[in-house]
């Protein structure tokens, strides 16, 4: 990368020229909006809202992207413009990539039987940004989803194409340790992570119907109320389900290790590491107790200590 201001201004102008160009070919939903997919989604998410069943059912708004997915055997073709943009960034040294966030808007509900069409454009390419991962550019694509020609939803997906920052080597012998990945913090879950920093595990509580929910959401799945407060979890729970991670290896983790779906005493579930017991001793129904672990100067995470009898 050339750090001279004039050169970088010229480079950023080249990046900006891609804004507004198609990112993927116009697509057609593989399936119409349908009740079986809605039912499976609701079961997986634990969403029991009556709005998603019955003769006047609508699809959960957050299913928006599901109707555009091509499946494992068919992939929508990216445009030459999008490939050129990524190649330009790669050749300029911004050859690492990480997904950072997505945003969705729902102008109108989708209903069973709706036929979906969608198109994707390169909405924006940011100027040079300095991040903890390294300097880079954010690339945002916008996908507009239509039903019967009417805009039904917008999905914005943002990645960071960056040049990895040089990190000081660990003075101790052996390979240097990579930092633990950072959680994606947004306006909907910022309060949860603020609680974690204080060693509090906060659960949202709807002030309309009193239902508890996790993960944090902007509104209640049961009654639709947007108002909420929080309760602090007691920290007691059990292993509802778990997996043992062997592969693929990640630099910040040392496999094998157990990742559990923990059912808290309050009735909600959270995904986290099960620690303090050998990975092959973790069992469904095992009691666990919350603890907070500091992984570096800036990162504290909730984990669950297995309780053996």
């Amino acid at each position: 990368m050339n750090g001279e201001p004039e050169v970088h201004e010229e480079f950023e102008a080249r990046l900006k020229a891609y804004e507004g160009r198609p990112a993927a070919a116009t697509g057609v939903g593989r399936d119409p909006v349908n009740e079986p997919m809605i039912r499976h989604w609701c079961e997986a998410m634990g969403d029991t809202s009556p709005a998603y069943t019955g003769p006047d059912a609508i699809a959960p708004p957050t299913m928006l992207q599901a109707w555009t997915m091509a499946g494992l055997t068919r992939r929508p073709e990216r445009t030459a413009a999008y490939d050129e943009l990524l190649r330009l960034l790669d050749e300029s040294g911004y050859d690492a990539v990480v997904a950072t966030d997505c945003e969705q808007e729902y102008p109108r509900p989708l209903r069973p039987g709706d036929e979906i069409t969608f198109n994707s454009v390169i909405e924006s390419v940011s100027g040079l940004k300095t991040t903890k991962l390294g300097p880079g550019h954010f690339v945002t694509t916008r996908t507009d989803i239509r039903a019967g020609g009417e805009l039904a939803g917008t999905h914005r997906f943002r990645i960071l194409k960056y040049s990895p920052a040089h990190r000081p080597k660990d003075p101790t012998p052996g390979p240097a340790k990579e930092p633990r990945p950072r959680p994606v913090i947004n306006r909907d879950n910022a309060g949860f992570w603020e609680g974690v920093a204080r060693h509090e595990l906060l659960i949202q509580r709807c002030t309309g119907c009193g239902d508890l929910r996790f993960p944090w959401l902007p509104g209640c799945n049961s009654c639709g109320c947007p108002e909420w407060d929080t309760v602090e979890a007691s920290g007691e729970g059990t292993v509802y389900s778990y997996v043992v991670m062997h592969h693929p290896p990640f630099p910040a983790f040392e496999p094998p290790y157990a990742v559990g779906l923990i059912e808290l005493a309050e009735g909600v579930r959270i995904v986290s590491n099960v620690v303090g017991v050998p990975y092959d001793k973790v069992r469904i129904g095992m009691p666990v107790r919350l603890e907070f672990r500091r992984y570096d100067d800036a990162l504290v995470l909730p984990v669950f200590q297995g309780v053996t009898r």
Side-chain angles (χ1 to χ4, degrees):
M1 290 180 295
N2 193 322
E4 295 179 9
E6 303 84 1
V7 173
H8 204 83
E9 285 178 9
E10 180 182 343
F11 175 70
E12 291 193 359
R14 292 177 64 192
L15 296 179
K16 287 289 183 182
Y18 286 92
E19 293 184 346
R21 299 177 67 179
T26 299
V28 177
R30 191 169 186 178
D31 299 286
V33 177
N34 63 83
E35 293 176 357
M37 286 177 66
I38 293 172
R39 183 176 68 253
H40 294 161
W41 174 281
C42 290
E43 288 176 355
M45 300 300 291
D47 192 337
T48 58
S49 171
Y52 309 139
T53 59
D56 297 320
I58 64 172
T62 50
M63 277 190 77
L64 186 65
Q65 191 182 18
W67 309 114
T68 69
M69 290 182 174
L72 297 177
T73 59
R74 188 180 69 174
R75 297 177 63 87
E77 293 185 0
R78 291 194 314 211
T79 61
Y82 192 62
D83 283 336
E84 288 171 9
L85 171 61
L86 298 184
R87 186 163 55 249
L88 175 59
L89 288 162
D90 286 342
E91 293 172 352
S92 300
Y94 306 106
D95 53 0
V97 63
V98 62
T100 60
D101 63 288
C102 70
E103 300 174 2
Q104 293 185 339
E105 300 173 11
Y106 316 112
R108 82 137 168 101
L110 292 171
R111 301 182 184 279
D114 280 340
E115 299 278 354
I116 299 302
T117 59
F118 56 93
N119 66 286
S120 183
V121 300
I122 303 166
E123 184 173 65
S124 65
V125 185
S126 78
L128 184 63
K129 303 294 183 182
T130 301
T131 75
K132 289 184 179 180
L133 294 174
H137 296 265
F138 290 95
V139 178
T140 304
T141 55
R142 187 191 77 242
T143 301
D144 292 328
I145 295 93
R146 291 178 170 81
E150 182 181 1
L151 184 64
T154 298
H155 175 83
R156 287 180 172 85
F157 187 70
R158 189 172 294 110
I159 63 173
L160 172 65
K161 290 284 290 176
Y162 66 98
S163 174
H166 296 292
R167 300 183 180 95
K169 293 184 178 180
D170 191 327
T172 60
K177 285 188 176 181
E178 292 288 329
R180 193 87 168 197
R182 267 43 186 171
V184 175
I185 300 176
N186 55 40
R187 61 188 177 187
D188 291 328
N189 67 14
F192 171 77
W193 291 108
E194 289 166 3
V196 168
R198 300 191 299 268
H199 288 201
E200 298 173 356
L201 186 64
L202 299 179
I203 303 169
Q204 280 184 311
R205 177 174 58 191
C206 174
T207 56
C209 67
D211 273 9
L212 301 180
R213 63 178 185 263
F214 192 90
W216 281 35
L217 296 169
C220 180
N221 281 330
S222 298
C223 72
C225 177
E227 303 299 328
W228 53 270
D229 58 13
T230 61
V231 296
E232 183 177 357
S234 67
E236 302 298 321
T238 57
V239 176
Y240 183 83
S241 182
Y242 72 96
V243 296
V244 175
M245 301 297 296
H246 294 272
H247 190 81
F250 294 99
F253 298 85
E254 297 179 3
Y257 56 92
V259 178
L261 177 61
I262 308 301
E263 185 161 79
L264 299 178
E266 291 75 15
V268 299
R269 298 171 190 159
I270 179 175
V271 176
S272 187
N273 289 97
V274 180
V275 301
V277 294
Y279 68 89
D280 57 353
K281 299 299 182 184
V282 177
R283 294 291 183 269
I284 291 174
M286 171 184 282
V288 292
R289 186 174 298 115
L290 172 69
E291 67 176 54
F292 293 90
R293 285 195 174 181
R294 178 170 292 280
Y295 288 91
D296 55 46
D297 290 344
L299 184 64
V300 174
L301 294 175
V303 297
F304 288 86
Q305 174 86 24
V307 178
T308 56
R309 292 170 175 157

